[in-house]
Amino acid sequence: MRLRHIEIFHAIYTTGSITNAAKILHVSQPSVSKVLSHAEMQLGFDLFERVKGRLTPTDEAEMLFDEVDKIYQQMRSIKNTAENIKKSEYGQINIAGSPALGFDVIPCAIAKYHHKHHQVNFNVQTVHNDAVMQTLLEHKCDLAVLFAPNSMLGVTSIELAQSELVIVYPKASFPAAPKKLTLNQLKEFEYIDIGDSGPLADLLWTRMMQDSINLEALIKVQTYFIAARLVAQGVGICVVDRFTAQGNLSDNTAIASFDPPLTFPVKALYLDNKSLSKVSQEFLSYLSDEFSNS
């Protein structure tokens, strides 16, 4: 039996007539009759007998129906799955992001997307700039969201937003709570250095060279949020991305931009030879909106 034979047979068997089968399949009665006749010819036996104006399954049809019903249910499942994929109701989003984006932006975007598409699965991990290429090539993620990533052969990048490096400082150090500070104003304060922090460290270093100013650090840490938490303990000042700063503000700390600002792009990356799934493409718009609102 062909799939069309199965569909017609199942419809007639469950509705009891060619008329009803034609209605639920949205086809004409003659086409249903034609497919039924072809199915019976292929099988070599009748599937229905007409009894008092109603089609009654033959013994052969009764023996066949259980197996046909299994296939029919699978066909319906395939159809429903295809529809859900089309509507972005099923799928898997494997995303890796800079740790700083884990404070608010990525969780908020996931929460909003999950609320509307609760059957889409998420696999979320953090990744640093120096490891992103390997993470993409090993298919540990399909999409990576990073600060100021370098251009990489075979990788497509989409700019989602512009952000900036900011100074997190104890309010007691600047009672006037300035919204902008220069490197020269930071020289006399203890500086918490974030060692080997990739493109953002290069951005700060370039500004230091331009201004001929070097901030001496007695404390070095590996992550931005630890630096921000140390400032909250009154240890010194630090320079971090705005997302980390806003995610770690306390009652006794404040944020200032550089004067002039130190800006950088936030980009989404994926491999050229592996196109993004429909659900991943749709999630990108949620991410972009979240950046706009942050």
Side-chain angles (χ1 to χ4, degrees):
M1 295 181 78
R2 296 178 181 176
L3 292 178
R4 189 59 174 165
H5 295 161
I6 289 171
E7 190 176 35
I8 293 294
F9 170 55
H10 191 278
I12 298 172
Y13 186 99
T14 53
T15 65
S17 73
I18 287 176
T19 301
N20 291 335
K23 286 181 181 178
I24 66 169
L25 295 175
H26 305 290
V27 295
S28 66
Q29 293 182 42
S31 67
V32 172
S33 297
K34 183 178 180 180
V35 174
L36 175 60
S37 296
H38 189 261
E40 290 175 329
M41 182 180 70
Q42 291 284 100
L43 291 168
F45 53 80
D46 290 339
L47 292 170
F48 297 95
E49 296 175 345
R50 188 172 293 278
V51 179
K52 296 180 180 180
R54 182 178 176 83
L55 291 179
T56 302
T58 61
D59 290 343
E60 291 83 359
E62 295 287 3
M63 289 186 286
L64 193 62
F65 182 75
D66 284 346
E67 295 303 317
V68 166
D69 189 54
K70 292 176 186 176
I71 296 173
Y72 179 81
Q73 296 305 330
Q74 289 177 332
M75 289 167 59
R76 190 167 70 173
S77 176
I78 292 169
K79 180 181 178 182
N80 290 339
T81 300
E83 284 294 320
N84 287 329
I85 291 172
K86 182 180 178 181
K87 297 175 184 175
S88 300
E89 291 180 6
Y90 282 120
Q92 173 93 13
I93 298 175
N94 300 307
I95 183 171
S98 174
L101 298 175
F103 290 110
D104 285 304
V105 176
I106 290 178
C108 288
I110 289 174
K112 289 176 182 178
Y113 187 87
H114 182 69
H115 181 70
K116 291 187 176 181
H117 308 281
H118 61 275
Q119 299 207 58
V120 174
N121 297 317
F122 276 90
N123 179 31
V124 186
Q125 58 184 304
T126 57
V127 67
H128 295 278
N129 285 57
D130 57 354
V132 65
M133 189 62 176
Q134 195 65 25
T135 302
L136 287 167
L137 287 173
E138 292 177 359
H139 300 290
K140 291 179 180 177
C141 73
D142 304 316
L143 182 67
V145 185
L146 296 174
F147 296 148
N150 296 320
S151 297
M152 290 175 280
L153 190 64
V155 174
T156 295
S157 66
I158 301 171
E159 184 169 318
L160 298 175
Q162 282 282 321
S163 190
E164 63 174 332
L165 284 175
V166 296
I167 303 111
V168 181
Y169 63 88
K171 290 180 179 178
S173 298
F174 294 95
K179 296 299 181 183
K180 293 182 179 181
L181 289 168
T182 64
L183 274 175
N184 192 53
Q185 292 173 280
L186 306 180
K187 286 191 302 182
E188 60 188 78
F189 296 97
E190 189 171 355
Y191 174 60
I192 303 165
D193 187 23
I194 298 96
D196 191 27
S197 51
L200 300 194
D202 295 341
L203 188 64
L204 178 60
W205 183 84
T206 301
R207 174 62 61 85
M208 287 181 177
M209 294 302 99
Q210 290 171 347
D211 292 357
S212 299
I213 292 173
N214 185 37
L215 301 179
E216 295 292 338
L218 295 178
I219 299 177
K220 290 188 177 183
V221 297
Q222 294 299 313
T223 53
Y224 279 6
F225 80 89
I226 292 179
R229 298 313 301 161
L230 283 169
V231 176
Q233 297 301 316
V235 173
I237 62 167
C238 71
V239 176
V240 298
D241 64 276
R242 180 167 284 280
F243 300 103
T244 298
Q246 290 175 334
N248 289 276
L249 267 184
S250 62
D251 292 338
N252 62 336
T253 61
I255 299 172
S257 297
F258 277 95
D259 187 16
L262 279 176
T263 60
F264 59 86
V266 184
K267 294 185 177 183
L269 310 176
Y270 64 91
L271 293 176
D272 290 346
N273 62 3
K274 187 181 180 186
S275 59
L276 285 179
S277 65
K278 180 177 174 60
V279 290
S280 293
Q281 291 177 33
E282 191 170 72
F283 178 67
L284 269 179
S285 66
Y286 280 72
L287 261 182
S288 183
D289 289 344
E290 206 57 45
F291 277 115
S292 298
N293 297 330
S294 63

